[in-house]
Amino acid sequence: MSITGALFSGLQVPPANFIMVNTKGKRFVDEYGSRDQLSQAAIDNGGLFYLIADENIKETAYNTSQEKIDAQVEAGTLFRADTLEELAEQINIDPAVLVETITNYNSYVDAGYDPEFDKGAFDLKVEKAPFYATPRKPAVHHTMGGLKIDTKAHVINKNGQTIKGLFAAGEVAGGLHAGNRLGGNSLTDIFTFGRIATDTAIAEYLG
């Protein structure tokens, strides 16, 4: 969900460790929600949002080094400031609103309860400078719908009949993940049904 179209810009960290705010500086969703919930909430809030974190976030960041962070700040794909007020100004948010949002969130971490969105997991507060804001927008990186197939990877028409000589595997085939794909399942999907499609084609046409 990168604003640049790249899937891995900014700080890549577990959702227990950051806050999501809209362009008004307010939280708008449970950061620990499912992908479809997060994306819809972002769309409902205008698309653009920010992941807010502090210096401690680096301890839990994926594939991140100080050099990479500095390069992204220089490139403008990651914002960094010594105070929350300065960070808010960089991303055109009212500093008072962002500070209030962060103060409230930190109190939820202390209490172990989020009365706004009932977030289910807290690990870090946002309290140690420098502070970071990673811009994000929802982006399509996996399709959930597609051609209906049977267990042999045959494509099925609207009458429930297989279409001779037509097979499908991977994201082009629908119905395998229900309403929300689990991370990594797209790979097992294409490997499994790609192999099944190959075996079926060989058995039916070359066997």
Side-chain angles (χ1 to χ4, degrees), residues 11 18-19 21-23 25 50-55 57 73 76-99 102 126-135:
L11 294 169
F18 59 71
I19 305 171
V21 301
N22 58 23
T23 54
Y50 296 92
L51 310 182
I52 307 296
D54 72 356
E55 178 70 3
I57 204 73
V73 170
T77 57
L78 178 66
F79 298 92
R80 178 174 58 197
D82 291 329
T83 68
L84 288 172
E85 289 85 353
E86 292 174 4
L87 187 68
E89 290 175 357
Q90 287 187 31
I91 57 178
N92 298 314
I93 286 177
D94 183 339
V97 174
L98 182 61
V99 169
I102 300 305
V126 179
E127 57 184 356
K128 181 180 179 182
F131 302 98
Y132 297 92
T134 301

Side-chain angles (χ1 to χ4, degrees), residues 5-69:
L7 292 179
F8 298 107
S9 66
L11 294 169
Q12 303 298 312
V13 296
N17 297 337
F18 59 71
I19 305 171
M20 292 171 62
V21 301
N22 58 23
T23 54
K24 297 185 183 206
K26 296 183 177 182
R27 290 179 68 215
F28 58 93
V29 71
D30 169 11
E31 293 87 349
Y32 222 72
S34 61
R35 299 179 187 191
D36 53 333
Q37 293 171 331
L38 297 176
S39 295
Q40 188 59 57
I43 291 170
D44 292 343
N45 277 266
L48 176 63
F49 62 95
Y50 296 92
L51 310 182
I52 307 296
D54 72 356
E55 178 70 3
N56 291 326
I57 204 73
K58 291 191 297 186
E59 298 176 7
T60 62
Y62 304 133
N63 302 320
T64 298
S65 65
Q66 188 61 55
E67 291 74 18
K68 289 181 180 179
I69 290 174

Side-chain angles (χ1 to χ4, degrees), residues 1 8 12 16-17 20 24 43 47 64 70 77 84 96 114 120 124 137 139 141 144 154 159 165 200-201 204 206:
M1 291 191 293
F8 298 107
Q12 303 298 312
N17 297 337
M20 292 171 62
K24 297 185 183 206
I43 291 170
T64 298
D70 292 342
T77 57
L84 288 172
D114 173 12
L124 298 178
K137 278 186 176 181
H141 67 97
M144 296 297 295
H154 298 105
N159 297 318
T200 302
E204 293 181 0
L206 298 179

Side-chain angles (χ1 to χ4, degrees), residues 99-170:
V99 169
E100 180 182 19
T101 297
I102 300 305
T103 300
N104 289 341
Y105 182 86
N106 288 345
S107 72
Y108 304 158
V109 177
D110 286 333
Y113 172 64
D114 173 12
E116 290 188 79
F117 298 100
D118 198 28
K119 186 173 182 177
F122 303 96
D123 285 339
L124 298 178
K125 293 191 286 186
V126 179
E127 57 184 356
K128 181 180 179 182
F131 302 98
Y132 297 92
T134 301
R136 285 285 187 267
K137 278 186 176 181
V140 175
H141 67 97
H142 182 87
T143 56
M144 296 297 295
L147 302 171
K148 185 176 181 179
I149 62 174
D150 63 14
T151 57
K152 297 294 185 181
H154 298 105
V155 175
I156 300 172
N157 65 22
K158 62 181 180 181
N159 297 318
Q161 302 168 326
T162 60
I163 300 175
K164 185 176 181 180
L166 185 60
F167 304 87

